[in-house]
Amino acid sequence: MRIILAIIAALLAAPAIAPPAIAASPSFEVVQRGQALAIAGDCVACHTVPGGTPFAGGRAIETPFGNVLTPNLTPDRETGIGDWSDEVFLRAMQTGIGHDGEHLYPAFPYPYYTHVGREDLLAIRSWLATLEPVRNVVARNEAVRNQLSFPFDIRLSMAAWNALFFENGLFRPMPSKSAEWNRGAYLVEGLGHCGACHTPKNSLGGDRTSATLQGGAIQDWFAPALGSDLRTGLGGWSVDDVVEYLRAGRNAKSAASGPMGEVVSYSTSHMPLADLQAIAVYLKDQPAVPRDAIPPLPASDAGMQAGRAIYLDNCAACHTATGAGIPRLFPTLSGSAVVQSPDPVTLARVVLIGAQAVATAEAPTGPAMPAFGWKLSDAQTASVLTYIRNAWGNVAPAVDAGTVASTRRHLAQRAGN
Amino acid sequence: MARKLPGVDAVIVGLGWTGAILAERLTAAGLKVVAIERGPWRDTATDFPPSYAPDELRYAIRQDLFLRPAQETVTFRNKTSETALPIRSFGSFLPGNGVGGAGTHWNGQTWRFLEKDFVVKSHVTERYGKSAIPEGMTIQDWGVTYADLEKSYDSFEWTAGVSGRAGNIAGTRQQGGNPFEGPRSRDFPLPPLELSHASSLFAKAARELGHSPFPCPAANASRAYTNPLGVTLGPCTYCGFCERFGCGNYSKGSPQTTILPVLMRRPNFEARTNAEVLKVLTDRSGTRATGVTYVDAQGEELEQPAELVLLCAYQFCNVRLMLLSGIGTPYDPAAGTGVVGRNYCYQTGAGAQLFFENTRMNPFIGSGALQQVIDDFNGDNFDHTGLGFIGGGSISCGQTNGRPILYRPTEPGSPRWGSAWKQATVAGYQNAASVGSQGSSYAYRDSYLDLDPTYTDRFGRPLLRMTFDWHDNEHKAAAYATQRCMEIGRAMGAKQVLARNLSEHYSIVPYQSTHTVGGAAMGADPKTSAVKRYLQSWDVPNVFAVGAHAFPQNHGYNPTGTVGALAYWAAEAITSQYLKSPGALVPT
């Protein structure tokens, strides 16, 4: 009825013009909000093939059980989500059930999106509907299958997975906390799906909910803990440090690269400052992980001595002899959570194959760490990693050559893919 | 027939310092800009990782970053009566190639020319009379003054992150800086580099002799620095791999480390690499450029139409492109008419090689502009009455490098091979130093560039022909500078002080300097200059040619500071004047 009235109103106002279909369209404000929320959700990162049309899907998302191809989110009716009703869209986002009632794989972070409110999800849907429809056959075509191992190749197995690990439910604010804190929690636990990387996974790929945001291994990176632990979490960062990192891709201590670089590039560097501030406030209120205190390796340790020599020859020019680095250019190694993380895979990969900090409009430099894998052996790499993990007040278990060798192998396999 | 591409607002030939500066300024003004670069893409992260960037064999000996003669070279002769032959292996000078151009492999010595350099002809005539300018010398005023360019120099220095100590801020003398320099509107963005041992000995000796030593302005960052574009440089590590190398430590100001990270993000900018511009196209009247033709990496010939054509390639490449495209009247040395090819100049080197006893110069601590300098014998900072020459040079001592292959100074009489040679190089490494003068190279009627009648490039286009030799004035100036360098060397306490004189005739074989300049001078008179004071072609007003080709003669410094300033100067003229009313900025 309302639609008919709107059409009549439009006809009265501009009788020469055919009734505009936008009469039933969401307001400009809703579409804009949807875009902002889609940015907060970083949808584009997964739903775009590198260099391809944004949101047209087809990117292979790596999971420990095989690759999952992302669907086309443009409003193409045949190959995208153009023929989805709002209710189908909501069901997918909140419960992981696809258009035809099939189970979606939780590489799609519906266990997080289930916490997002209906209005916000529909705003995202409204914005997606404004994109140019792109014909791109992914997943819904039988010829392009997800590349998963048994039993995960059977979608119905996700029903069992859901029964085990999926907890449906909207975000519930904590009345004892500030509005800012709650906004941060809503973003981190919902659209931001930070835990997808930063929460450790069990053997079936479900979140270890007892260890939320305590750091997780993903695609030969280790996403550090986001709790207040001084050595391995965000304990050494201020709220401003966190905000600057998310906004610019770097702060005085560290720089984002790899998967986090993508998050900054596509998502957080475009988010409103108030939201970043809220995220920082929430993260800074996360508890520290209780860990066994271990003593640092003594400087007299043979591995430490070898590592120090390698460090001074190869690393000190940028990271400086004291591990202080150059603020906002070359990361600080002393006190760094990446350096002291229990899992040294990020460190090993960065030394072996290098890395480049994300470049943003605010921090366009995008400095790079060179690869040393061609000149340092596994043992030398292990020594230098052991050194930086135990120098300048750092404390972390030694790295052995076997761990480096295994990372090297994985990286070579990945490069061969 | 070239395939015609959609038009753009501006096409830039060459993506070195000037191309990057103009592209940044013009895209900021909203223009759609395409830069066409003959060489490959080069970036700090991908091309100069410090894990292998300091590779002397690859970069210094095999000249990885430089133009290959097979791509473009020049033919050379000392005088008109000789037959020029093509340079098949660059020696005397090493033109850059690829994104960043010479701005990638330079040392970082970032000078402003002296106030009187820009009005050298008027000044010399006024002070010493017309007869002080020798017969055949064709020096001329620039058409711009130091005061005109001050803001542009400042822009370049703050973009490139230059370390130094001002000698004159807004007319007030500054302790420890160059007392002869023109007034700066403000200090350098960064404090000077530390001193090397040799340069501290030099500074002390020079002071004792009554001179005024000061630190060379260095685009080697003495501290971490974020420039006005938001790009960050790291502090120089004094590794000594600047000249001929890309800097992997993000410490040397270059297009890569200061401009490209911002420029490449702009949606209205595109860089096309491995693509060589063949010609600037003009309409039938010959007074309006319509774009350029170029050959891309696949060998396809393409036409890029553009409203503005900016020639930002290396000095002689710009001159050649103007000659090949019929932009400006070619210079005729016999008649003394025409402007394109006129006033080709170089740089006059002289100095003293020093050997000390039982000292530790530690030359492995080096940086491209790590030196102390005196300007007491540069330009007309000293009275030339009775000396028999005009011009002069900066005199410096420092340590650009102590690299293992090429830095092997040995005392005269040392064996040239075997274990005794090895011992001599060990001693020489720690005991050697040198004091050098980088002198002016003034213009002459018989030193010029034109198209070679015989030799062509791979596309069948005539090569550029260089006709150049030293003249009596430069021999005398160099001999004078050598004496000054030797005096300082002796005062430094060197055991041996050996003269390094200018060769009798200029030779293109040994490396001397990549400061080739002139050939399409800027100026106020269309009879003696190819481009106006804003670097705009007199004949084709939508062509601007920006670079060292516009120097009417060379002065006693490295050219890059002035080249960068000219780029900002031209960019300002284009954005604030030309775009509002396209056409001649100075009436013909």
Side-chain angles (χ1 to χ4, degrees):
Chain A
M1 187 62 188
R2 211 169 49 205
I3 296 171
I4 294 170
L5 285 175
I7 291 172
I8 291 169
L11 285 172
L12 287 175
I17 300 172
I22 55 162
S25 295
S27 71
F28 177 69
E29 286 73 19
V30 169
V31 172
Q32 264 203 322
R33 199 161 60 83
Q35 180 179 20
L37 291 163
I39 286 171
D42 199 12
C43 314
V44 71
C46 290
H47 289 275
T48 309
V49 177
T53 310
F55 298 100
R59 179 167 179 176
I61 302 301
E62 200 183 310
T63 79
F65 317 105
N67 288 348
V68 178
L69 295 175
T70 57
N72 177 357
L73 296 190
T74 72
D76 184 61
R77 291 189 69 82
E78 269 184 65
T79 67
I81 61 169
D83 65 341
W84 288 31
S85 69
D86 285 355
E87 291 312 316
V88 168
F89 183 80
L90 286 172
R91 186 180 64 180
M93 292 292 277
Q94 292 182 322
T95 64
I97 305 292
H99 179 267
D100 303 322
E102 78 279 19
H103 282 275
L104 301 174
Y105 290 103
F108 169 55
Y110 63 86
Y112 299 90
Y113 297 162
T114 190
H115 306 311
V116 182
R118 177 187 171 93
E119 268 186 30
D120 281 353
L121 292 175
L122 288 179
I124 292 174
R125 159 93 181 135
S126 309
W127 179 71
L128 288 173
T130 67
L131 298 176
E132 187 77 23
V134 175
R135 194 180 157 72
N136 185 27
V137 182
V138 194
R140 292 178 82 181
N141 181 331
E142 290 305 309
V144 188
R145 283 195 170 280
N146 293 316
Q147 302 135 17
L148 293 166
S149 56
F150 182 81
F152 303 102
D153 57 336
I154 301 165
R155 283 187 179 275
L156 202 57
S157 64
M158 289 304 106
W161 191 93
N162 284 344
L164 285 169
F165 308 120
F166 178 62
E167 198 181 324
N168 192 354
L170 286 174
F171 172 74
R172 280 185 297 274
M174 289 259 279
S176 61
K177 299 287 187 182
S178 69
E180 189 176 46
W181 187 98
N182 277 300
R183 174 68 179 167
Y186 177 68
L187 287 166
V188 167
E189 293 174 14
L191 281 172
H193 64 283
C194 308
C197 296
H198 289 275
T199 295
K201 303 289 176 275
N202 58 36
S203 58
L204 290 173
D207 280 1
R208 279 173 47 211
T209 45
S210 61
T212 298
L213 301 180
Q214 289 182 13
I218 176 169
Q219 299 171 15
D220 294 316
W221 290 86
F222 183 78
L226 300 182
S228 301
D229 190 287
L230 197 58
R231 293 196 185 286
T232 58
L234 292 174
W237 288 19
S238 66
V239 165
D240 286 349
D241 287 337
V242 178
V243 171
E244 184 182 347
Y245 182 88
L246 294 174
R247 192 184 70 216
R250 55 99 180 98
N251 59 22
K253 299 182 169 96
S254 191
S257 60
M260 192 60 203
E262 283 189 20
V263 171
V264 170
S265 181
Y266 293 124
S267 175
T268 58
S269 65
H270 306 284
M271 286 174 69
L273 210 52
D275 280 352
L276 299 182
Q277 183 83 19
I279 289 172
V281 164
Y282 174 70
L283 290 180
K284 284 295 293 173
D285 196 41
Q286 296 306 298
V289 186
R291 290 190 203 279
D292 298 336
I294 54 165
L297 288 174
S300 59
D301 178 90
M304 284 288 283
Q305 289 192 342
R308 180 171 182 271
I310 295 166
Y311 180 83
L312 291 175
D313 281 350
N314 292 280
C315 320
C318 292
H319 294 287
T320 77
T322 62
I326 302 297
R328 296 184 173 78
L329 190 66
F330 304 132
T332 308
L333 303 182
S334 57
S336 159
V338 172
V339 171
Q340 298 175 89
S341 282
D343 181 342
V345 65
T346 297
L347 274 191
R349 77 170 290 144
V350 164
V351 170
L352 289 173
I353 64 168
Q356 183 159 17
V358 63
T360 58
E362 183 181 338
T365 313
M369 162 85 185
F372 286 89
W374 61 277
K375 66 192 292 194
L376 296 182
S377 68
D378 294 336
Q380 289 170 321
T381 306
S383 295
V384 78
L385 296 185
T386 298
Y387 173 72
I388 65 171
R389 283 158 71 82
N390 289 277
W392 323 296
N394 286 353
V395 184
V399 179
D400 61 47
T403 304
V404 176
S406 137
T407 303
R408 198 190 282 270
R409 213 163 40 242
H410 286 152
L411 295 171
Q413 280 164 7
R414 189 178 291 286
N417 279 343
Chain B
M1 188 64 191
R3 180 158 63 88
K4 195 167 176 173
L5 299 169
V8 295
D9 297 320
V11 65
I12 293 181
V13 183
L15 190 54
W17 265 130
T18 58
I21 289 167
L22 280 151
E24 192 283 313
R25 293 286 73 212
L26 267 49
T27 49
L31 268 61
K32 183 169 169 48
V33 178
V34 165
I36 301 175
E37 165 57 47
R38 173 174 48 202
W41 171 252
R42 288 206 172 101
D43 181 55
T44 309
T46 48
D47 294 86
F48 310 124
S51 51
Y52 71 71
D55 182 341
E56 191 180 13
L57 183 63
R58 173 176 173 176
Y59 292 104
I61 311 294
R62 296 181 181 156
Q63 305 183 351
D64 198 82
L65 300 180
F66 298 118
L67 180 62
R68 306 282 148 182
Q71 288 178 280
E72 179 169 358
T73 188
V74 293
T75 65
F76 173 77
R77 58 184 181 178
N78 280 122
K79 52 180 185 283
T80 306
S81 59
E82 296 172 349
T83 301
L85 292 172
I87 294 176
R88 295 179 188 274
S89 172
F90 284 116
S92 169
F93 45 82
L94 298 170
N97 193 40
V99 168
T104 305
H105 67 71
W106 70 317
N107 259 332
Q109 300 172 15
T110 316
W111 293 99
R112 298 178 175 202
F113 285 169
L114 297 163
E115 289 176 282
K116 291 186 181 104
D117 288 341
F118 291 99
V119 290
V120 62
K121 188 180 181 187
S122 315
H123 172 77
V124 166
T125 309
E126 191 189 320
R127 184 168 180 187
Y128 304 107
K130 244 186 177 159
S131 62
I133 299 175
E135 174 65 26
M137 185 188 273
T138 52
I139 53 170
Q140 60 200 46
D141 295 354
W142 284 61
V144 287
T145 63
Y146 173 85
D148 289 334
L149 290 182
E150 200 286 327
K151 186 173 158 235
S152 306
Y153 271 124
D154 182 82
S155 297
F156 183 64
E157 289 158 359
W158 283 71
T159 300
V162 177
S163 307
R165 179 166 287 139
N168 180 342
I169 296 179
T172 307
R173 217 32 102 62
Q174 307 292 313
Q175 191 68 30
N178 180 4
F180 299 98
E181 72 179 12
R184 296 170 179 275
S185 49
R186 53 177 167 167
D187 205 342
F188 288 97
L190 291 170
L193 296 165
E194 304 294 334
L195 290 180
S196 72
H197 182 46
S199 57
S200 64
L201 294 176
F202 170 90
K204 183 167 173 284
R207 216 170 281 122
E208 283 163 10
L209 290 169
H211 311 320
S212 303
F214 61 92
C216 178
N220 318 118
S222 61
R223 306 273 190 281
Y225 174 68
T226 299
N227 75 8
L229 292 172
V231 189
T232 303
L233 290 158
C236 176
T237 61
Y238 300 83
C239 77
F241 285 79
C242 300
E243 188 179 29
R244 306 191 181 190
F245 302 84
C247 178
N249 285 82
Y250 298 83
S251 306
K252 181 170 75 178
S254 67
Q256 285 90 345
T257 51
T258 63
I259 297 174
L260 295 178
V262 169
L263 182 60
M264 296 309 295
R265 297 177 66 84
R266 298 217 172 126
N268 52 339
F269 178 72
E270 187 190 341
R272 294 183 197 147
T273 54
N274 294 311
E276 180 159 355
V277 171
L278 298 177
K279 196 178 176 184
V280 179
L281 301 171
T282 51
D283 67 5
R284 269 195 212 124
S285 72
T287 59
R288 191 177 166 277
T290 57
V292 299
T293 51
Y294 70 98
V295 177
D296 74 3
Q298 282 71 43
E300 186 184 5
E301 191 174 329
L302 298 150
E303 178 183 340
Q304 177 59 65
E307 296 298 316
L308 259 175
V309 176
L310 309 174
L311 303 183
C312 295
Y314 184 71
Q315 170 263 341
F316 66 64
C317 305
N318 281 343
V319 175
R320 177 168 176 242
L321 212 46
M322 290 176 81
L323 289 169
L324 290 171
S325 310
I327 293 172
T329 312
Y331 175 61
D332 176 350
T337 58
V339 289
V340 184
R342 187 174 177 276
N343 279 24
Y344 170 74
C345 301
Y346 194 44
Q347 190 101 66
T348 309
Q353 176 69 49
L354 317 178
F355 286 97
F356 294 78
E357 275 182 313
N358 301 323
T359 187
R360 279 193 174 275
M361 293 298 177
N362 288 346
F364 49 84
I365 304 169
S367 188
L370 179 62
Q371 51 186 16
Q372 285 277 310
V373 188
I374 59 164
D375 245 359
D376 300 71
F377 303 103
N378 198 358
D380 198 42
N381 293 341
F382 58 111
D383 188 356
H384 287 72
T385 308
L387 293 177
F389 69 91
I390 53 173
S394 52
I395 291 176
S396 64
C397 173
Q399 203 70 51
T400 63
N401 80 92
R403 295 189 291 262
I405 302 175
L406 290 179
Y407 192 77
R408 295 277 171 163
T410 52
E411 289 193 41
S414 301
R416 303 290 298 272
W417 56 277
S419 57
W421 171 78
K422 287 180 185 168
Q423 280 168 16
T425 64
V426 169
Y429 193 76
Q430 285 293 11
N431 289 322
S434 69
V435 176
S437 163
Q438 190 152 238
S440 53
S441 169
Y442 285 165
Y444 294 89
R445 186 167 165 164
D446 61 0
S447 292
Y448 59 97
L449 307 170
D450 64 356
L451 292 177
D452 192 276
T454 308
Y455 294 97
T456 57
D457 71 5
R458 60 201 168 121
F459 300 116
R461 302 176 299 168
L463 293 182
L464 194 73
R465 177 169 63 180
M466 177 184 287
T467 306
F468 182 80
D469 205 352
W470 304 122
H471 289 73
D472 190 45
N473 184 74
E474 278 56 48
H475 276 294
K476 284 180 180 162
Y480 184 81
T482 298
Q483 291 309 314
R484 303 291 80 73
C485 294
M486 293 176 76
E487 281 167 13
I488 298 170
R490 282 190 283 268
M492 287 166 71
K495 177 187 69 170
Q496 287 203 69
V497 178
L498 309 160
R500 218 176 56 218
N501 285 312
L502 195 62
S503 57
E504 187 185 350
H505 291 285
Y506 170 62
S507 162
I508 48 117
V509 177
Y511 182 79
Q512 289 148 78
S513 169
T514 302
H515 309 161
T516 62
V517 306
M522 62 194 293
D525 182 353
K527 287 200 189 65
T528 56
S529 60
V531 293
K532 301 172 193 186
R533 68 196 301 261
Y534 299 112
L535 291 307
Q536 182 183 38
S537 161
W538 284 103
D539 305 276
V540 188
N542 66 334
V543 171
F544 287 72
V546 186
H549 64 268
F551 292 14
Q553 59 274 320
N554 206 3
H555 302 283
Y557 295 120
N558 308 62
T560 305
T562 301
V563 168
L566 290 179
Y568 279 103
W569 169 251
E572 176 68 17
I574 292 169
T575 54
S576 70
Q577 297 180 56
Y578 180 88
L579 292 178
K580 286 177 186 144
S581 171
L585 294 177
V586 176
T588 306

